[in-house]
Amino acid sequence: MKIFIVGLGLIGASYAQGLKKAGHEIYASNRTEAVVEQAIKEKIVEKDNDMSYLSKVDLIILGLYPKHNIEFLSKHKHLLKKGQIITDVSGTKAWMTKEIEALIPDGVSYTSHHPMAGKESSGYASKDYKIFKDANFIIVKGQKSGPKDEKILKNIASDLKFGKITITDAQTHDELIAFTSQLTHVIAVSLVHSDHLKETPQATGDSYRDLTRIAKINEVMWTELFLENKEALLKKINDFEKELDQLKKHIETNDKESIQEYLKSAKEKRKVFDET
Amino acid sequence: MKIFIVGLGLIGASYAQGLKKAGHEIYASNRTEAVVEQAIKEKIVEKDNDMSYLSKVDLIILGLYPKHNIEFLSKHKHLLKKGQIITDVSGTKAWMTKEIEALIPDGVSYTSHHPMAGKESSGYASKDYKIFKDANFIIVKGQKSGPKDEKILKNIASDLKFGKITITDAQTHDELIAFTSQLTHVIAVSLVHSDHLKETPQATGDSYRDLTRIAKINEVMWTELFLENKEALLKKINDFEKELDQLKKHIETNDKESIQEYLKSAKEKRKVFDET
């Protein structure tokens, strides 16, 4: 299949690399042109690559930040052709998918998706298609989803060796992401900031390292993600604080039985993740 | 060296296994006698093992829960001999070390330590001396610490392939542990309990799994650890909530610049851990 990837950052470049290996023809654009040149040199992107391929490919994958995806489409929508499918890899969906749906011409279909994979480092040089192996893949259907989109995206997921595929709508997606991805990053950075002891680096077990690894964050991208999904995220922070306060209260009141029950039920709930 | 290990749970049994491999003579006791029989069968514990060795060994390692360590010593202190060294592997220190110091006869020294390693599973069958490789090892000196204790404990750490060794006092230890170990477990279980969406297991990336892995907790042991270190832990929970609230406020007020600055400084602070 002919695929055009917009933006060769960590995810875009890793897609390009993995999809090229799977036998697809890859075209791409990137704000810094030198990155595309590098991808051509590495034989990930076809050597006759240029923006005109936006009209010739079967699938367009938007790999920029949400607002830049919208800017890109606004600028280049005249190049889109009937029968083409657009998708994107953004971390928040609801507001962006509405804007994209309003932008694209009739006959072009759009189905968003979210690859649940990443890395602490960013940019083309960090690309590694192996980060997708067995990761979750969420397909987000909307008003402009076409009849073939689900099958095409499932093939992409399979080519990149993703694991479980879930199909949902944009609002449920954003709530899920607020919980599993954004809240966890909020917790990690808050935990790092609440470290006030000089000996901490010498006295740390795996727990603290595991809980704070994702604090090595791309601050520009995550600030945008937090603000774009603000309502859902604030709700999840409040839910979490409610739970934390309940456990704190059990500890304050020496309520041994309630603490044990709280820990035990958390253990049982968490075990589900190792079984699914 | 002759070593007596009291309690063949996860840590005690892993110590026995690793120290035997390093060439020491291991004796042991355990509430359920069959576990000791099994360790003898596996040639980890010497076959003529019995409680009388408590008088004959150079080093006694207490591997029980804090209050059971104290009960054990109360019951068996008449067997202790001058020149012997006692240590323990407990997760909280200040209150227990004071009680142990008051219990032991003159001429017996006591220096506590804390192996910063563990596993989600517990008990003899889970033993694995490799969990100590490169882990942090904290030596906690007190009023009954003898002149040879530090060297002996450093040898034990080296035999078990521990990484960095830190020397501190019981109070600083407890504050460190409240932060790096207990607070992280409090966060993990609270996070699991704040999951209210049925799709979560299908839409989870590495972040949520990493932050909640330790929620698969031994609820009896951790309830005891939380309550024994209650004051320090409550302070750390409050510190963490203060940070969380600050970031939440930045998000609520759309304060993009402050969020970015908060994330950036967390990243820089966290990077120290990969360099130390």
Side-chain angles (χ1 to χ4, degrees), chain A residues 116 136 193 195 203-204 209 212 216 219 230 238 241 245 248 252 262 267 269-270 273-274, chain B residues 116 136 193 195 203-204 209 212 216 219 230 238 241 245 248 252 262 267 269-270 273-274:
Chain A
M116 298 284 294
N136 289 322
H193 275 296
D195 169 20
T204 299
R209 284 179 196 270
T212 57
K216 290 178 292 177
E219 68 272 13
K230 180 178 154 175
N238 290 332
E241 286 186 320
D245 283 335
K248 186 168 81 170
E252 274 167 349
Y262 195 86
K267 175 170 70 180
K269 198 168 170 186
R270 177 55 176 80
F273 285 84
D274 295 330
Chain B
M116 297 285 291
N136 289 322
H193 274 296
D195 169 19
T204 299
R209 282 179 198 271
T212 56
K216 289 178 291 177
E219 68 273 12
K230 180 178 157 176
N238 290 333
E241 286 186 320
D245 282 336
K248 187 169 80 171
E252 274 167 351
Y262 194 88
K267 175 170 69 179
K269 198 168 170 186
R270 177 55 176 79
F273 284 83
D274 294 331

Side-chain angles (χ1 to χ4, degrees), chain A:
Chain A
M1 196 162 65
K2 289 187 172 68
I3 300 174
F4 195 102
I5 298 179
V6 180
L8 293 176
L10 170 67
I11 300 296
S14 302
Y15 264 58
Q17 187 190 34
L19 292 172
K20 175 69 184 178
K21 267 188 203 290
H24 297 286
E25 250 176 69
I26 308 296
Y27 302 90
S29 68
N30 194 70
R31 197 179 45 178
T32 309
E33 187 59 33
V35 170
V36 180
E37 299 301 324
Q38 181 61 27
I40 292 171
K41 229 184 255 171
E42 294 177 19
K43 297 190 174 162
I44 291 171
V45 166
E46 306 300 319
K47 59 174 183 275
D48 57 337
N49 180 73
D50 70 36
M51 199 58 92
S52 74
Y53 276 96
L54 210 52
S55 305
K56 300 170 201 163
V57 299
D58 308 294
L59 176 69
I60 297 160
I61 301 175
L62 303 169
L64 304 173
Y65 290 174
K67 67 176 180 188
H68 296 134
N69 284 334
I70 292 166
E71 281 165 23
F72 180 91
L73 275 186
S74 305
K75 196 169 159 192
H76 296 97
K77 63 182 175 186
H78 63 281
L79 292 172
L80 302 173
K81 301 286 177 211
K82 276 192 180 162
Q84 287 186 311
I85 299 172
I86 300 175
T87 189
D88 73 278
V89 300
S90 308
T92 48
K93 298 294 180 195
W95 73 274
M96 184 191 68
T97 56
K98 265 179 223 145
E99 296 215 24
I100 291 181
E101 284 166 356
L103 263 174
I104 55 174
D106 283 350
V108 174
S109 73
Y110 167 58
T111 298
S112 182
H113 80 279
H114 186 177
M116 298 284 294
K119 233 179 157 177
E120 287 102 33
S121 50
S122 58
Y124 179 82
S126 300
K127 69 182 179 304
D128 178 6
Y129 68 97
K130 289 179 189 143
I131 59 174
F132 305 127
K133 190 164 171 8
D134 297 329
N136 289 322
F137 188 91
I138 309 180
I139 295 176
V140 181
K141 290 199 175 177
Q143 292 182 333
K144 295 275 181 113
S145 289
K148 295 179 305 180
D149 300 10
E150 182 179 324
K151 188 158 174 286
I152 296 283
L153 287 176
K154 282 182 171 169
N155 288 344
I156 294 294
S158 160
D159 287 340
L160 291 169
K161 317 278 185 221
F162 275 92
K164 252 184 294 318
I165 298 175
T166 306
I167 297 171
T168 186
D169 59 89
Q171 200 183 328
T172 307
H173 168 270
D174 284 3
E175 212 186 317
L176 277 166
I177 293 317
F179 180 68
T180 64
S181 175
Q182 291 158 358
L183 176 61
T184 49
H185 284 78
V186 162
I187 288 172
V189 295
S190 302
L191 181 56
V192 167
H193 275 296
S194 63
D195 169 20
H196 302 306
L197 287 161
K198 70 177 192 319
E199 294 93 342
T200 308
Q202 277 76 48
T204 299
D206 288 341
S207 326
Y208 184 76
R209 284 179 196 270
D210 282 353
L211 263 76
T212 57
R213 195 164 289 116
I214 54 172
K216 290 178 292 177
I217 202 168
N218 174 335
E219 68 272 13
V220 178
M221 182 180 85
W222 282 93
T223 298
E224 190 159 329
L225 292 172
F226 288 171
L227 291 177
E228 277 158 5
N229 205 18
K230 180 178 154 175
E231 297 312 320
L233 175 56
L234 288 173
K235 186 180 173 305
K236 296 299 170 184
I237 296 176
N238 290 332
D239 286 354
F240 170 70
E241 286 186 320
K242 225 177 278 169
E243 292 294 335
L244 190 59
D245 283 335
Q246 187 178 329
L247 178 52
K248 186 168 81 170
K249 203 178 156 198
H250 294 330
I251 296 171
E252 274 167 349
T253 56
N254 293 309
D255 185 348
K256 197 168 165 169
E257 205 171 307
S258 296
I259 302 173
Q260 279 195 16
E261 178 47 40
Y262 195 86
L263 302 187
K264 194 170 170 225
S265 51
K267 175 170 70 180
E268 279 153 15
K269 198 168 170 186
R270 177 55 176 80
K271 279 183 176 167
V272 172
F273 285 84
D274 295 330
E275 290 152 14
T276 49

Side-chain angles (χ1 to χ4, degrees), chain B residues 198-211:
Chain B
K198 70 178 191 321
E199 294 93 342
T200 308
Q202 275 76 47
T204 299
D206 287 340
S207 327
Y208 184 75
R209 282 179 198 271
D210 282 352
L211 263 75

